[in-house]
Every structure is written in structure tokens, then in C-alpha cells.
């Protein structure tokens, strides 16, 4: 996969690309991530990429020509263009899985009061990471990129991906590690039993329980198999 991120602050991404799973994926050649300085596409002698909005109003808007030229320069037949925006669809694991299936993504990081509306004619996905406003789209681009890259084959163990919270629409079961007991706080006995079938049943039960307690909205309208339905009914009683 190739990811191009268009930003007026390319230095924001230096540490992001040099740490953890992202760095590992780059080293393994599972993904190529290029940070594109939007100012390189400015036709202004001072590399300006913003101007005042028509009709008046506070702040500055990012201009259409530099973003258009950047998209046209980078885009291929198999490219999907994503604009990070508080007006976009809320990002989810499902969207991350969908985006991870594409070969080439372009992210546009907005700034100031936003971008010229004409840019949206060339956008395939407008994505928000939450109902709040950030100073710019750089942090959102990092969040969405991280959620995608970890799903790429060979980046992390497949089991880690398929047992993640939200992968199947539910939250993950509780997890524990050594020591077995500390200050009277113990690990559940079932996890120490070595009985894999009982452990699997406990984890399934606890996954539904966690979801019902923490994120009941995830269960609304969700199709559950018979086993999960039975657990949910039991928990609701």
C-alpha cells in the first residue's frame, strides 16, 4: 500500500513515522508513506496556500488550486482521496478495514477555517475522528493511518487483528498477565485452567458483557449469532 499525506506542516509526521508499528511496517516494506508539503504546489512567490473567504467571515481558508494540483499530480486510477474533517463520517474499525483494502490513499489535512468547498468534488471519503474540532487535520491523519496500517497483512499477527475490540463489532474480553495475584487482586481462575474450550466460552461471554456495560450502542441493531444472543439475553436479565 502507498499513502500520500498532504499537509502544510510535514514536520508533524517525523516522530510518527519513526516509531512503533508504523516504523516496522515501513521497514518491512508493507507500506510506503510520503508526506507531501502542500506549499510545493503554491503558485504564490511566498508559497502561500490560504486566503480570506468570499462573503466575509473569520479566519482564512485553504485555497483550491494548490490542493487540486497536488491531487492531480499524485492520483492514479486506483487512488482513494480522504479529507479529514469534523463534518465527515465518524471513523470506525469498519472504515479502517475498508480503506486497508485499497492500494493507494491520499489524505488531505485541512487547516485554518477549512478548505475551499470545490476540493470536495475530488474526495472519496470525508472522515472525522470525533465530534470536536482540531487545529488541523494532521493528528486525524495519523490516527486514521495508524488504524489502517496495523491491518495490512504481515504488519502484526493476524490473531491480534481479528481479536481486537470492534473487529467483529464487539469490545474485546478482559485480559490479564503475570503475576497471578498481587495485593489480593487475582486473575480469574478460568484463565489459569488450561481448558481452552472453557477459556473461549468465558472470553465470548465477557466480550458481550464488556460491550453491554461500556458501549451498549454497539449492540443496537447488530446481528448476533445464537450463542451471543443467548449470552446477551442472560446478561440483560
Amino acid at each position: 500500500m502507498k499513502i500520500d499525506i498532504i499537509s502544510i506542516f510535514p514536520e508533524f509526521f517525523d516522530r510518527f513515522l519513526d516509531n512503533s508499528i508504523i516504523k516496522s511496517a515501513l521497514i518491512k516494506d508493507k507500506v510506503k508513506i510520503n508526506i507531501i508539503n502542500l506549499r510545493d504546489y503554491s503558485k504564490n512567490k511566498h508559497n502561500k496556500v490560504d486566503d480570506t473567504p468570499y462573503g466575509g467571515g473569520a479566519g482564512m481558508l485553504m485555497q483550491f488550486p494548490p490542493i487540486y494540483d497536488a491531487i492531480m499530480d499524485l492520483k492514479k486510477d486506483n487512488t482513494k482521496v480522504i479529507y479529514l474533517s469534523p463534518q465527515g463520517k465518524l471513523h470506525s474499525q469498519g472504515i479502517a478495514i475498508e480503506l486497508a483494502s485499497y492500494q493507494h490513499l491520499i489524505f488531505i489535512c485541512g487547516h485554518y477555517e477549512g478548505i475551499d468547498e470545490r476540493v470536495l468534488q475530488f474526495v472519496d471519503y470525508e472522515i472525522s475522528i470525533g465530534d470536536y474540532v482540531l487545529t488541523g487535520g494532521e493528528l486525524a491523519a495519523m490516527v486514521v493511518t495508524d488504524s489502517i496500517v496495523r491491518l495490512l497483512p504481515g504488519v502484526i499477527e493476524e490473531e491480534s487483528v481479528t481479536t481486537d475490540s470492534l473487529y467483529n463489532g464487539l469490545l474485546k474480553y478482559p485480559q490479564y498477565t503475570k503475576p497471578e495475584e498481587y495485593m489480593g487482586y487475582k486473575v480469574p481462575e478460568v484463565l489459569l485452567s488450561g481448558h481452552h474450550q472453557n477459556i473461549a466460552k468465558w472470553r465470548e461471554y465477557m466480550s458481550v458483557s464488556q460491550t453491554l456495560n461500556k458501549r451498549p450502542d454497539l449492540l443496537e441493531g447488530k446481528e448476533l449469532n445464537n450463542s451471543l444472543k443467548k449470552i446477551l439475553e442472560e446478561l440483560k436479565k
Side-chain angles (χ1 to χ4, degrees):
M1 169 179 273
K2 180 183 178 184
I3 298 175
D4 291 320
I5 302 176
I6 301 172
S7 169
I8 59 172
F9 296 108
E11 65 276 8
F12 274 24
F13 297 89
D14 291 347
R15 295 292 292 170
F16 174 67
L17 299 178
D18 197 37
N19 283 280
S20 190
I21 296 298
I22 299 296
K23 181 178 182 179
S24 175
L26 290 168
I27 291 173
K28 293 178 182 177
D29 203 26
K30 301 298 181 181
V31 64
K32 296 183 184 300
I33 302 177
N34 302 311
I35 311 301
I36 312 300
N37 190 340
L38 181 62
R39 297 186 190 279
D40 291 341
Y41 291 90
S42 173
K43 294 179 171 61
N44 181 278
K45 65 179 181 179
H46 300 297
N47 294 326
K48 183 179 177 182
V49 293
D50 64 303
D51 213 324
T52 54
Y54 282 120
M60 306 287 278
L61 279 179
M62 295 180 73
Q63 296 173 306
F64 176 52
I67 301 176
Y68 172 84
D69 290 345
I71 292 173
M72 292 300 106
D73 185 37
L74 299 168
K75 189 173 182 178
K76 309 297 180 186
D77 291 338
N78 61 351
T79 301
K80 295 296 180 182
V81 180
I82 298 118
Y83 171 49
L84 290 315
S85 159
Q87 296 186 10
K89 185 175 182 179
L90 197 62
H91 189 49
S92 67
Q93 188 71 8
I95 292 176
I97 292 170
E98 182 178 345
L99 293 178
S101 69
Y102 297 122
Q103 294 299 308
H104 182 212
L105 302 175
I106 296 175
F107 287 96
I108 303 170
C109 300
H111 212 73
Y112 309 118
E113 291 297 312
I115 62 174
D116 188 299
E117 188 74 10
R118 287 171 286 187
V119 172
L120 296 184
Q121 297 177 56
F122 304 92
V123 168
D124 299 293
Y125 293 84
E126 189 173 358
I127 294 176
S128 167
I129 62 168
D131 293 332
Y132 47 85
V133 178
L134 297 171
T135 303
E138 284 75 16
L139 290 174
M142 293 180 201
V143 169
V144 178
T145 297
D146 186 274
S147 72
I148 294 168
V149 171
R150 66 188 308 279
L151 297 174
L152 299 178
V155 173
I156 62 176
E157 292 183 18
E158 184 178 356
E159 184 179 359
S160 294
V161 171
T162 57
T163 60
D164 271 341
S165 284
L166 304 175
Y167 186 83
N168 65 351
L170 300 176
L171 301 185
K172 192 169 185 173
Y173 47 80
Q175 294 180 283
Y176 302 83
T177 188
K178 297 177 180 64
E180 293 180 18
E181 180 180 351
Y182 185 72
M183 301 295 288
Y185 295 91
K186 299 179 180 180
V187 174
E189 288 292 334
V190 65
L191 299 178
L192 308 175
S193 68
H195 196 298
H196 298 299
Q197 187 175 4
N198 287 348
I199 291 172
K201 287 181 179 179
W202 179 87
R203 285 176 169 172
E204 187 177 60
Y205 181 92
M206 293 305 298
S207 177
V208 178
S209 177
Q210 292 272 79
T211 307
L212 182 62
N213 290 330
K214 296 181 178 181
R215 291 289 306 278
D217 56 295
L218 295 174
L219 294 168
E220 295 174 7
K222 180 172 175 54
E223 289 291 330
L224 300 175
N225 61 40
N226 290 334
S227 175
L228 296 178
K229 281 181 182 178
K230 186 176 180 181
I231 293 171
L232 183 58
E233 289 170 2
E234 180 182 340
L235 287 166
K236 284 184 174 180
K237 290 177 183 178

